[in-house]
Amino acid sequence: MTRRPLRIGNASGFYGDRAGAVREMLTGGPLDVLTGDYLAELTMLILGRDRLKNPDLGYAKTFLRQLEECLGLARERGVRIVANAGGLNPAGLADAVRELAAKAGVPVSVAHVEGDDLMPYQEGALTANAYLGGAGITACLRAGADVVVTGRVTDAALVSGSAAWWFDWAPDAYDRLAGAVVAGHVLECGTQATGGNYSFFARHDVRHPGFPLAEVAEDGSSVITKHPGTGGAVTTGTVTAQLLYETQGVRYLGPDVTARLDTVRLTGDGPDRVRVSGVLGEPPPTTLKVGVTRIGGWRNEVVFVLTGLDIGEKAALVRSQLAASLAGVASARWTLSRTDHEDAPTEETASALLRLVVRDPSPDRVGRALTSAAIELALASYPGFHVTAPPGPAQPYGVFTSAHVPADTVPHTAILPNGTRLPIPPPPPSTPTPLTPPSTAPGRTSSPGGGLHRSGGRTGAACHPQTSVGGERRTSSPAGV
């Protein structure tokens, strides 16, 4: 018997996303599973610093605050919660959820997934985490978990792992898994799929976009939509923009399956509904990506406000006055932003900004002594001298790199609600099939890259180029963090 589609929603696209989203999604309409993506590369660095201060931390604390308000509501409505908020300490977060549930008198079963943390790793690494797939999530849900928290899994695994549980898919159901991965990829950044961060935002009311959900069918196809009456929009444009986000090439490699993005078909399915179908899957690679963060050194900055005439000359004067103080600093970068306007009506609109950013392995060389030297110029430099902030101490900055390790060396483990530790085996070795162009079936309305703008990013890793639609064209969009 064919099981009805899985209704799975998203309530977080990053650590710090809308606090009320969990309640919005639980009260906005029916759901079977609610997911939350809290981990970006920057987040792992933040959680790593948290763990240095307190080994009991290392997880997304905002997730707990959301559950304080909504755990009982989720239980009442029969909605399972799956989130990667465990970060560097999924076991600690699972214990915290159990403690919260006991205090609130909410009877829930909690499980977690671990094994992604590869520390100690290379010298100087703050965090090192393999990107796991969804099989551990599947195992936890099969064991009856109401709440599943993970460490570093791929963002799409929150959906594909839940779908594999719902439909009892085998690990080699590659086409079905690929379809769920595509749905998960569309959902993972939350409101980026419903008009947020979208180049054509002016075409829709995106003042308070609703979070997305997917109706995933047993064959792996899905309909991307949102709860009725919520803001934003779900169109082939918004879905394609998110689908192209953080992708390179037609093979979307993952721990459970390789999804062929050149086979994706998007068709309108009514207002705020886009059907995703036709996705083909191939075996996954035999390696897993590892994200590594490090403290790269120390940084500081001073922003000088240059007002009125002779902006270039004023900037040159400041640079020459600080040249001696910057001697020996590993990196000093000056940027002049011409935010000033001719015949400006206010001092603010007549001002340009000169930014100095310094980086060095030692906090002493870029600390308060350096920024104080800039402030000491106040009465001895250009007319109208002022800066945007008082002198401050050096702050550490992070560096993210990636590597790959054999999948069979990573101890992917599901810790079930009863405490049983269930090892998750890696996929069997396989060879990718030759890349062949997909057929162009009649009725095809859209495919990735078919002239729709991409969304800006949230990892800060790159600026994504944008293509055109309807004769409009823009060349780039900033990647947000």
Side-chain angles (χ1 to χ4, degrees):
M1 177 182 291
T2 300
R3 193 171 191 189
R4 68 167 176 82
L6 167 70
R7 285 181 60 88
I8 184 165
N10 169 282
S12 177
F14 66 98
Y15 188 18
D17 208 344
R18 189 185 306 167
V22 172
R23 174 168 287 277
E24 290 177 18
M25 290 301 290
L26 289 174
T27 59
L31 288 175
D32 301 303
V33 177
L34 182 60
T35 66
D37 179 10
Y38 293 79
L39 303 183
E41 287 70 22
L42 173 63
T43 316
M44 304 305 284
L45 180 72
I46 294 170
L47 297 179
R49 294 185 63 191
D50 283 351
R51 186 170 62 176
L52 287 177
K53 299 172 186 176
N54 183 348
D56 293 333
L57 295 180
Y59 54 77
K61 300 184 287 291
T62 55
F63 175 71
L64 272 181
R65 291 198 288 271
Q66 290 172 310
L67 287 194
E68 286 177 5
E69 180 185 5
C70 297
L71 183 59
L73 181 60
R75 172 68 177 175
E76 174 187 314
R77 301 198 171 205
V79 179
R80 314 256 182 151
I81 295 176
V82 179
N84 61 12
L88 303 176
N89 189 7
L93 178 57
D95 287 340
V97 173
R98 293 186 188 99
E99 182 179 349
L100 184 157
K103 288 181 179 179
V106 180
V108 295
S109 298
V110 183
H112 73 276
V113 178
E114 63 183 31
D116 59 295
D117 194 337
L118 302 185
M119 291 292 286
Y121 194 63
Q122 300 166 344
E123 182 179 358
L126 178 64
T127 67
N129 297 79
Y131 290 72
L132 303 179
I137 294 170
T138 304
C140 291
L141 292 171
R142 283 175 176 163
D146 300 301
V147 179
V148 181
V149 294
T150 76
R152 203 11 147 176
V153 297
T154 64
D155 301 341
L158 302 174
V159 172
S160 63
S162 299
W165 156 70
W166 186 260
F167 297 112
D168 199 27
W169 289 337
D172 60 354
Y174 294 131
D175 290 347
R176 298 180 180 192
L177 285 168
V181 163
V182 168
H185 180 57
V186 174
L187 264 58
E188 69 187 45
C189 292
T191 52
Q192 276 193 182
T194 60
N197 213 4
Y198 181 51
S199 293
F200 298 128
F201 66 95
R203 297 181 179 180
H204 310 287
D205 181 359
V206 294
R207 290 172 294 175
H208 191 83
F211 277 72
L213 63 94
E215 299 168 355
V216 182
E218 191 165 8
D219 64 357
S221 64
S222 63
V223 172
I224 308 299
T225 184
K226 61 188 183 71
H227 284 322
T230 55
V234 178
T235 69
T236 54
T238 65
V239 171
T240 302
Q242 172 58 25
L243 185 59
L244 293 178
Y245 170 69
E246 291 185 333
T247 59
Q248 297 178 353
V250 299
R251 279 195 168 104
Y252 191 55
L253 303 179
D256 300 315
V257 66
T258 298
R260 285 281 298 270
L261 298 183
D262 57 339
T263 63
V264 178
R265 301 294 181 270
L266 304 179
T267 54
D269 195 55
D272 291 318
R273 294 176 63 84
V274 173
R275 182 170 297 278
V276 183
S277 62
V279 187
L280 297 181
E282 298 171 349
T286 58
T287 58
L288 295 180
K289 178 180 176 181
V290 179
V292 183
T293 67
R294 295 178 172 83
I295 299 298
W298 298 81
R299 74 180 299 280
N300 213 329
E301 70 175 62
V302 183
V303 181
F304 303 86
V305 182
L306 315 178
T307 305
L309 303 175
D310 305 321
I311 296 295
E313 290 80 358
K314 291 173 180 176
L317 174 59
V318 173
R319 294 183 63 162
S320 65
Q321 289 179 305
L322 287 177
S325 298
L326 294 174
V329 173
S331 171
R333 182 177 179 180
W334 294 91
T335 303
L336 178 59
S337 300
R338 296 302 300 262
T339 54
D340 53 308
H341 302 270
E342 287 189 24
D343 299 324
T346 65
E347 181 176 329
E348 181 179 10
T349 55
S351 300
L353 300 176
L354 177 64
R355 183 185 302 272
L356 168 64
V357 177
V358 289
R359 290 183 173 87
D360 197 272
S362 169
D364 297 331
R365 283 196 288 268
V366 293
R368 194 178 295 273
L370 177 61
T371 54
S372 294
I375 301 303
E376 290 169 2
L377 298 175
L379 301 181
S381 190
Y382 63 87
F385 179 104
H386 65 287
V387 295
T388 57
Q395 299 293 331
Y397 69 89
V399 174
F400 174 84
T401 57
S402 63
H404 292 84
V405 297
D408 59 7
T409 65
V410 176
H412 189 176
T413 307
I415 290 74
L416 307 182
N418 64 3
T420 299
R421 299 180 63 85
L422 181 65
I424 305 299
S430 57
T431 302
T433 56
L435 188 63
T436 56
S439 61
T440 54
R444 174 179 173 184
T445 62
S446 180
S447 65
L452 285 160
H453 280 193
R454 299 186 184 187
S455 295
R458 68 190 167 96
T459 63
C463 290
H464 293 281
Q466 299 187 26
T467 53
S468 62
V469 74
E472 297 182 63
R473 184 174 183 83
R474 298 173 190 170
T475 57
S476 65
S477 70
V481 177

